[in-house]
Amino acid sequence: MGKRTQVFTADQVGQAAEVLRSGGLLAFATETVYGLGADARDGTAVAAVYAAKGRPAFNPLIVHLADLATAERYAVFSPLARKLAAAFWPGPLSMVLPVRRDAGLSSLVTAGLETVALRVPAHAGARGLLAEFDGPVAAPSANPSGGISPTQVDHVLAGLDGRIDGILSGGACGVGVESTILLVEGHVSLLRAGGVSVENIETVLGTTLARPEDPSTPKSPGQLASHYAPNAALRMNATGIGAGEVLIGFGPTKGAELNLSPTGDANEAAANLFHMLRRADEIAGAAGKTIAVAPVPLQGLGLAINDRLSRAAADRG
């Protein structure tokens, strides 16, 4: 961005929320760590989160919300999910739930899956921001990918100064480790240990949690290659369209029925990726065709785009 990131004080929450409304990136304190927030409905803003972090793959992001009522706009809550929300929200617990069809969330937030991870944080500053914004905020940790998670404003600035628009100062984070993530289906599985102990969760449920090492337990969303595979076969790095193919272009692409970004903008392509794959799969399925995707340079978010495309193109044996 070429300029220093603006730091907002706690009483400037209105100005901080405006950063999110305008499609900008805002770091903010939660009780766990500082998150790097973007409007979860704005695919371009979400793509900018990945770009700022240098995140190598499009893993699903946790969506932060002001309260349970707001959360229910975006996911389907079972009685079991409501029981967990009543016990641990607001707090450092994230739940992976079926996404509502009319949620309006960017497919980049869900990584193209039919589920979404939601959390209602307990930090007073985060709750004030979320109430002021009155919408879903996608927020991974506010640090370069692979770095140590930030628990103070200085930590955020050390990694992201000039790469994001603002930081809402909220002091030091009290918990200091990321939220616990649960997959809530007919049963509850632990996807990531974190700020709420397994013992406390099991006490509320009255049963033991399935663990990630159990063969029957799904891995964390975003880790299974098959989750990204369309029904139709996919060919990467297509420099032309073959017989019986639906071509997804990047930049000026002759014969492309769909285009990730006509101008060759990787951020725009990232924002469109999962939607375009779904649309191409619908077209291909109806016509008995396969999918081809034009080359996307291995730079910036192009690395993450190619990571997802390689999973989609993998041999399903």
Side-chain angles (χ1 to χ4, degrees), residues 102-114:
D102 59 351
L105 297 174
S106 163
S107 60
L108 204 53
V109 169
T110 60
L113 303 178
E114 300 296 329

Side-chain angles (χ1 to χ4, degrees), residues 120-304:
V120 175
H123 188 282
R127 298 196 73 196
L129 172 68
L130 292 164
E132 176 73 21
F133 180 63
D134 190 29
V137 176
S141 57
N143 58 284
S145 185
I148 298 171
S149 294
T151 56
Q152 300 177 25
V153 168
D154 287 348
H155 297 166
V156 180
L157 287 171
L160 298 176
D161 190 14
R163 298 167 69 180
I164 64 176
D165 298 288
I167 305 172
L168 178 59
S169 179
C173 301
V175 176
V177 296
E178 285 85 353
S179 63
T180 301
I181 302 179
L182 300 178
L183 175 65
V184 183
E185 298 178 306
H187 60 285
V188 182
S189 303
L190 177 69
L191 298 182
R192 181 180 76 186
V196 175
S197 73
V198 167
E199 292 79 7
N200 284 350
I201 294 167
E202 290 179 338
T203 296
V204 168
L205 294 176
T207 186
T208 57
L209 286 173
R211 299 300 203 277
E213 60 269 20
D214 292 347
S216 61
T217 303
K219 295 182 181 180
S220 181
Q223 293 184 344
L224 295 180
S226 61
H227 281 167
Y228 304 98
N231 292 316
L234 185 144
R235 179 169 71 96
M236 293 177 63
N237 298 314
T239 55
I241 185 169
E245 287 186 330
V246 177
L247 179 61
I248 302 176
F250 177 79
T253 309
K254 185 178 180 180
E257 188 160 349
L258 303 167
N259 201 307
L260 293 169
S261 172
T263 61
D265 183 303
N267 280 23
E268 181 184 16
N272 289 331
L273 177 61
F274 293 109
H275 170 70
M276 291 283 182
L277 283 177
R278 284 181 182 276
R279 183 72 188 114
D281 203 30
E282 290 170 359
I283 296 168
K289 294 184 175 182
T290 60
I291 301 169
V293 184
V296 178
L298 289 165
Q299 296 158 359
L301 289 191
L303 287 171

Side-chain angles (χ1 to χ4, degrees), residues 17-105:
E18 191 55 37
V19 171
L20 296 171
R21 290 192 192 99
S22 64
L25 304 186
L26 178 79
F28 62 98
T30 75
E31 71 276 21
T32 58
V33 299
Y34 272 75
L36 179 54
D39 185 340
R41 300 160 296 195
D42 184 339
T44 302
V46 175
V49 169
Y50 285 98
K53 285 176 62 69
R55 194 161 174 148
F58 296 136
N59 296 319
L61 300 179
I62 295 172
V63 176
H64 295 66
L65 301 145
D67 50 41
L68 175 59
T70 308
E72 294 212 47
R73 298 181 204 163
Y74 302 100
V76 178
F77 279 72
S78 65
L80 189 55
R82 290 195 185 93
K83 182 176 184 178
L84 288 164
F88 299 111
W89 279 1
L93 179 76
S94 298
M95 288 190 282
V96 177
L97 302 167
V99 67
R100 288 195 177 277
R101 295 284 182 184
D102 59 351
L105 297 174

